[in-house]
Amino acid sequence: MARFRGKDSLGLSTERRGRRRRVVHVFTEGRVTEPTYIEIVRDRGVRTDMSIAVEVRIANATAPDSRRTPMKLVEAAVKLMRDEARDAERNRLAKEFWPQVWCVFDRDQHESIETALKHAREGDVRVAFSHPCFEVWRLLHYKPVTGTFGGVCGLVAARLPFAEELANMKMVLPEQIPPGSYAETKRRALQMNASHDSHVSMTQRDPYTDVFTLVEDGLGMSSY
């Protein structure tokens, strides 16, 4: 599989060489699950715009668990976005090639979720959010999701066809993502999200996921 590039290969440096490239920094709550999923999508996905290469960097790959709560992720992401925007402006980088900064986190039992999302919006940081957890997005690759999980991620994981395997391994394996499944997975996610009353906020919708925004707007993929 392709490896993520470090800070030495940002869109800033490649733009100087006349190449069309954008870097995307992603802060993930999970140490393994989300990064391995992203890596598979980057390897397998079909780019929306073939003229722009997207380089992905897991920004908190070595961060301890204590720095992986939604608020901690957003705080670090907002600081990085501020630095990247300043550098991009200083180097007159075209807006379409400005680096993006994303956070991927779950509702779980975290406190201050609304505050974290507000800070992210104000800091120009994008968030891919799931309730109760990222496994909702994984489950949608196999079937529609109805009902509620009561905020318990374990109930989601138990429905996955590889549930026993998941108990011993957090890594997302390529064979766990059916080829050509993206369009149907997104359709199911949109249908699931819309099943809640319109007045119910995103953070209260159980289940909910908008990981497809990261796939399309962040990773620049139209399918996989």
Side-chain angles (χ1 to χ4, degrees), residues 94-141:
K95 195 77 173 181
E96 62 183 308
F97 301 118
W98 274 35
Q100 293 183 5
V101 181
W102 285 75
C103 290
V104 183
F105 57 77
D106 305 334
R107 178 62 185 89
D108 284 330
Q109 303 301 316
H110 295 301
E111 299 179 357
S112 306
I113 286 289
E114 295 283 2
T115 302
L117 291 169
K118 179 175 181 291
H119 286 342
R121 287 192 299 271
E122 293 173 347
D124 201 22
V125 168
R126 297 286 302 272
V127 176
F129 176 77
S130 299
H131 189 340
C133 59
F134 185 79
E135 276 61 41
V136 170
W137 175 248
R138 299 178 71 180
L139 182 58
L140 287 164
H141 284 74

Side-chain angles (χ1 to χ4, degrees), residues 26-167:
V26 186
F27 288 81
T28 64
E29 180 180 351
R31 187 186 299 274
V32 178
T33 305
E34 295 94 330
T36 53
Y37 167 76
I38 290 170
E39 190 167 355
I40 291 167
V41 173
R42 289 289 294 118
D43 284 351
R44 184 188 294 177
V46 177
R47 291 203 306 245
T48 304
D49 186 346
M50 296 298 293
S51 69
I52 300 178
V54 177
E55 293 185 3
V56 182
R57 182 187 180 202
I58 302 302
N60 64 330
T62 61
D65 291 345
S66 61
R67 305 296 301 178
R68 291 178 177 272
T69 63
M71 276 302 301
K72 295 294 184 183
L73 293 180
V74 169
E75 288 170 358
V78 168
K79 181 180 184 303
L80 178 59
M81 187 67 239
R82 188 183 306 122
D83 293 343
E84 293 294 334
R86 183 175 59 248
D87 288 347
E89 248 183 354
R90 182 187 301 126
N91 288 276
R92 300 180 182 179
L93 191 64
K95 195 77 173 181
E96 62 183 308
F97 301 118
W98 274 35
Q100 293 183 5
V101 181
W102 285 75
C103 290
V104 183
F105 57 77
D106 305 334
R107 178 62 185 89
D108 284 330
Q109 303 301 316
H110 295 301
E111 299 179 357
S112 306
I113 286 289
E114 295 283 2
T115 302
L117 291 169
K118 179 175 181 291
H119 286 342
R121 287 192 299 271
E122 293 173 347
D124 201 22
V125 168
R126 297 286 302 272
V127 176
F129 176 77
S130 299
H131 189 340
C133 59
F134 185 79
E135 276 61 41
V136 170
W137 175 248
R138 299 178 71 180
L139 182 58
L140 287 164
H141 284 74
Y142 294 90
K143 62 180 76 173
V145 175
T146 57
T148 181
F149 296 103
V152 180
C153 185
L155 296 179
V156 186
R159 291 196 195 178
L160 287 164
F162 44 87
E164 291 185 11
E165 192 176 324
L166 188 65

Side-chain angles (χ1 to χ4, degrees), residues 172-213:
V172 178
L173 302 177
E175 56 265 31
Q176 295 171 350
I177 301 178
S181 61
Y182 177 70
E184 182 63 12
T185 302
K186 179 185 176 182
R187 187 193 68 77
R188 290 169 179 164
L190 291 171
Q191 184 178 50
M192 178 188 74
N193 295 346
S195 68
H196 302 279
D197 291 339
S198 59
H199 69 275
V200 178
S201 70
M202 177 179 75
T203 59
Q204 300 302 315
R205 297 185 180 194
D206 178 5
Y208 176 93
T209 186
D210 56 22
V211 172
F212 52 85
T213 61

